[in-house]
Each structure stands twice: as C-alpha cells, then as structure tokens.
Amino acid sequence: MASQHYTLRQLNLMVTDAIEMSLPDEYWVEAELSECREHGGHCYMELIEKDEHSNTPTARASAKCWRQTWVMVKPYFERVTGQQLSAGMKVLLKVYAQFHEAYGFSWIVSDIDPTYTLGDMARKRQEIIRQLKEEGVFDLQRDLTIPLFAKRIAVISAPNAAGYGDFCRQLEDNEYGFRFEVALFPAIMQGNQVEASIISALNSIYERISDFDVVCILRGGGATADLSGFDTLALAENVAQFPLPIITGIGHERDESILDMVANTKVKTPTAAAALLIDHLKRVLERIEQAESFIHQYVTQRISFQKQHISQLATLIPTLAQRLLSEHRHRIDIQESRLPMAIERYLTSQKHRLESLTLQLQGFDPQLLLSRGYSITLLNGKAVRNPQQLKPGDEIETRLEKGTIRSVVKS
C-alpha cells in the first residue's frame, strides 16, 4: 500500500496551482465554434480546430464566458458583425486557463475580437460570390423586369413580423387607390433555419407561379443580429435562378447580404419595398396618362388637318369637275369625228374577207368536181367511201354532172 495518498479535491487543487503558475497570462486564440449556448446568463462554447486540407478536427477545448463579461462582449460583437455567435463561426478569443476542483479545466473568455470574425465572414462571402459568378447565376435576376402592372405579390416573411404588417398597410393605404393582391408564404427569418425555410417558401410559390408578378422577401421588427442565414450559397442559388423578379427588404444595418446581391431589387426595409411597388405603378400610370394625352393631341391635330384638307378639296371640286367635263367633251368630239372613217374601214375589210371566204368555198363545191367527170355515191344521203359500207339490198344514189342514177346493191 502507498505510504502517501491524496483526496481527489487535494489533487485537483494541486493541478489548479500548477496551471496558475505555468499559465498565468491571458492569450488570444483562433478557433471555430462547434457549439455555442447561453444558460443562466453565461455563454458555454465548444472550440475546435480543423486540418485545412482534410477538415478533420485536430484539437478541441471547452470555453466559458461568465455573465459579467458576456453582457458586455455579446452586444458589442453583434453590433459590429451583425450576427450572433453560432456554430461554424471563426472567432478570436482572449482566454485564460482555469481549473476548478469541482468542474475541471476550462478556458475562460475575457474578450472577443469581432473584426477577426468579420474578416472570416467576408472571406466566406467572397467565396460564395465567386462560385455564383462561375456558375453564371449571379446576375440572372437582374435580367428580369418587374411587370408593368405588378399587383399580385407573393411575400415571404414571418407571419407576425411587424415589418410584414407595415408592408401590407402601406400597400393598402396608398394615396393613388391602387389595389394589390398579397399572398403570404410564412418562413423563419432568423436563426439557423432561415435558408431551408425560405427555399421551401420559394418552392411553394413556384407551384403557383402564374398567380404572381413579383416576390418580396421581407424581414423587419426583429433583432439586427443573426443574419447569417441570408449569406448562404444554397439560398443565393435558389433566389438567383427564380423565374419571377425578387425584391428583398430584410432590414440590414450593415452591408448588403449575398441575398441582396443576387435579387432583382434590394431595399432596406419592408416599407421601402411597399413604396417601391407603389412608385412602380405610379410611373406606369403616368406613362398611360402621357400616352392618353399624346393620343388625344394627335387625333385632334389629325382631325383639324383633315378638315382643312376637305375644305380645300371642296373649293377645288367645281373647277376640277368643269375641267374634267371639258376634257371628256373634247375626247367625245374627237371620237365622233373619227367614227365614220372607222366604220368605212371596218366595212371594207369585212367585204374583202367575205369575198375571200366565198372564193374558198367555191373551191370546195361538189358540183365543180362533178363537172370534171367525177361522181359521188351516196347511201342514205351520206357519201360512200368504202365498198364494205354496203351490203346486198342497199339502195344507193350516184350523182353525176348531168343527173342522178339510183341502183340496188346485189353483191
């Protein structure tokens, strides 16, 4: 049996003394959050470091930020980054080592540098933007045009969000009396479920795509932090390739999100989205009124011109009529003077033609042939050209120059 032994608490106190002596300072450490949760006003974190090539964890540690520090660190971090601390985020923490005899070892967080996280977020954003451009989808939404009469609006928003209510009221109470049709597609607009929820809403809209002119993605009335859900590749790809123009009004106080970048039109707030739609219809109305004014003015001018033209024609008609009558009378006189000569020429030509035809007919007169010694044999008044036409008993007639012979065929 060992001559000396320690209680667990004594041993842990020895570890505490050793750590305090060997690690007396505070240290800035780079890490990725694999877990981050609040409880009792404190923040509990699980830190991880991954191999940059294989993405395999190479180190793990627990960290805590006590309430008195967390109440100062948290709002500052969210104000600078526009996001809440969450799993997957790269952070730069100021920590010191602590070994508690009852709870074991932990790194205690005394400060967080939000600019480091901003840099990592910017790097991730740039990587997503680069990939969207390589895929050729980054500018697809901007190739779409908001329809002239964009009145059927599909809205993606949290149902009870103040921003959605403001959006609907502004559309309804517009000073021009425009009437909009708004259909809500509920979605979670904050937290880790933003991406999946909005994509699901877009799929629902797509199933009824012929019912809508434009889509509005709205977020308002909530915290300005935790907007990372709007900076994801999958959501950006779905929005960029959606066949209807998409307007975003998600209330950023920081720079635009990737969702804003790929949308057809971005505004800061839901009320600004409503104002945009109202102003769009106002411009269309102004174009219609301008066209109406132009058409009225053009038609008035054309009527005036045609009246003047008709009036001018009315003054010219008597003169033109007299001139036409005089010209036709002159042509009739000329034709009358030419008519006797034309008739005489026509009659002479017809007389010559008749004489020529008479001579031709005389050449075909059978009597002329008979006078030359020829004869013609007839059967029933028709000339016989072939003896086979005859049969015994037929009575034939032979015509000569000086008379006719009637015969009966015997054989």
Side-chain angles (χ1 to χ4, degrees):
M1 174 178 267
S3 60
Q4 185 178 6
H5 60 273
Y6 302 93
T7 66
L8 179 59
R9 184 173 184 278
Q10 287 173 331
L11 186 61
N12 282 351
L13 286 173
M14 291 172 62
V15 173
T16 299
D17 292 339
I19 289 176
E20 288 178 352
M21 291 178 61
S22 59
L23 296 172
D25 300 323
E26 293 183 313
Y27 309 93
W28 285 102
V29 59
E30 299 176 358
E32 179 181 325
L33 293 176
S34 64
E35 185 178 339
C36 183
R37 66 187 187 281
E38 290 187 60
H39 181 70
H42 311 296
C43 182
Y44 298 89
M45 310 173 194
E46 292 296 326
L47 308 181
I48 193 172
E49 181 177 340
K50 297 177 181 177
D51 182 273
E52 62 180 15
H53 301 293
S54 64
N55 212 34
T56 303
T58 58
R60 293 179 182 274
S62 296
K64 301 179 179 69
C65 187
W66 302 125
R67 180 170 40 227
Q68 62 271 22
T69 303
W70 183 241
V71 295
M72 294 184 293
V73 167
K74 176 185 177 181
Y76 176 64
F77 181 87
E78 292 179 354
R79 186 169 62 253
V80 173
T81 64
Q83 297 193 30
Q84 294 177 348
L85 281 167
S86 59
M89 188 175 286
K90 292 287 187 68
V91 291
L92 180 61
L93 308 175
K94 191 175 186 180
V95 300
Y96 62 88
Q98 184 181 78
F99 188 89
H100 191 278
E101 60 270 19
Y103 303 108
F105 179 82
S106 183
W107 292 105
I108 306 302
V109 178
S110 60
D111 198 3
I112 303 176
D113 184 356
T115 59
Y116 176 86
T117 303
L118 273 177
D120 183 66
M121 289 165 52
R123 180 189 61 77
K124 289 181 179 178
R125 281 159 53 87
Q126 289 305 314
E127 177 61 23
I128 292 173
I129 292 170
R130 182 193 63 77
Q131 187 167 342
L132 291 170
K133 289 182 177 179
E134 285 184 356
E135 293 172 0
V137 301
F138 188 80
D139 294 316
L140 286 181
Q141 269 282 314
R142 277 181 282 280
D143 292 336
L144 302 177
T145 301
I146 297 176
L148 288 178
F149 300 96
K151 300 175 66 177
R152 304 174 302 163
I153 317 300
V155 176
I156 298 175
S157 175
N160 300 321
Y164 171 63
D166 294 340
F167 173 84
C168 292
R169 280 191 294 275
Q170 185 153 346
L171 287 184
E172 185 175 353
D173 299 335
N174 71 87
E175 61 181 299
Y176 307 103
F178 300 144
R179 289 292 171 260
F180 294 88
E181 301 173 16
V182 178
L184 175 64
F185 292 81
I188 298 170
M189 305 303 288
Q190 187 167 320
N192 295 330
Q193 300 181 58
V194 168
E195 176 187 276
S197 184
I198 294 180
I199 290 175
S200 176
L202 286 172
N203 291 336
S204 298
I205 295 171
Y206 185 78
E207 293 176 357
R208 299 173 47 194
I209 196 164
S210 60
D211 294 339
F212 304 107
D213 302 312
V214 70
V215 178
C216 290
I217 300 178
L218 307 177
R219 178 188 184 276
T224 58
D226 196 19
L227 295 172
S228 57
F230 299 101
D231 282 337
T232 70
L233 177 62
L235 180 56
E237 288 174 333
N238 274 268
V239 168
Q241 298 178 81
F242 201 74
L244 290 180
I246 292 180
I247 300 170
T248 58
I250 52 181
H252 282 275
E253 291 185 359
R254 60 179 175 85
D255 293 339
E256 62 183 352
S257 68
I258 294 176
L259 183 64
D260 291 323
M261 293 179 185
V262 299
N264 177 274
T265 308
K266 61 148 185 153
V267 292
K268 283 292 183 183
T269 62
T271 52
L276 183 144
L277 291 169
I278 294 169
D279 188 60
H280 179 77
L281 275 188
K282 176 190 172 185
R283 291 196 300 272
V284 173
L285 178 62
E286 289 173 348
R287 289 175 59 183
I288 293 173
E289 290 174 344
Q290 290 172 359
E292 181 182 14
S293 175
F294 172 79
I295 292 171
H296 177 75
Q297 183 178 1
Y298 177 78
V299 170
T300 301
Q301 291 176 348
R302 291 298 300 175
I303 291 174
S304 176
F305 173 78
Q306 292 300 330
K307 284 182 176 179
Q308 293 177 1
H309 186 60
I310 292 171
S311 177
Q312 292 173 355
L313 289 176
T315 59
L316 293 174
I317 285 174
T319 304
L320 291 173
Q322 185 66 32
R323 184 185 301 169
L324 287 172
L325 288 172
S326 177
E327 290 176 357
H328 283 294
R329 188 178 294 111
H330 179 66
R331 289 173 61 186
I332 291 171
D333 291 343
I334 293 174
Q335 295 299 327
E336 285 181 348
S337 64
R338 293 177 178 175
L339 188 58
M341 295 178 61
I343 292 173
E344 185 176 350
R345 283 197 301 271
Y346 178 75
L347 291 175
T348 300
S349 66
Q350 292 302 314
K351 180 180 179 182
H352 290 325
R353 185 165 177 244
L354 182 60
E355 290 174 351
S356 175
L357 290 173
T358 301
L359 291 174
Q360 291 179 20
L361 287 174
Q362 288 176 353
F364 293 106
D365 188 355
Q367 193 64 37
L368 183 62
L369 294 174
L370 294 176
S371 66
R372 295 175 183 172
Y374 293 99
S375 65
I376 300 174
T377 301
L378 303 174
L379 175 65
N380 299 324
K382 295 182 179 180
V384 177
R385 299 177 181 274
N386 191 333
Q388 294 180 355
Q389 293 179 249
L390 304 176
K391 62 182 183 294
D394 285 342
E395 184 178 329
I396 59 176
E397 180 181 312
T398 303
R399 289 185 182 180
L400 305 172
E401 178 185 8
K402 300 287 186 179
T404 300
I405 301 173
R406 298 184 184 277
S407 308
V408 175
V409 177
K410 292 185 177 182
S411 61

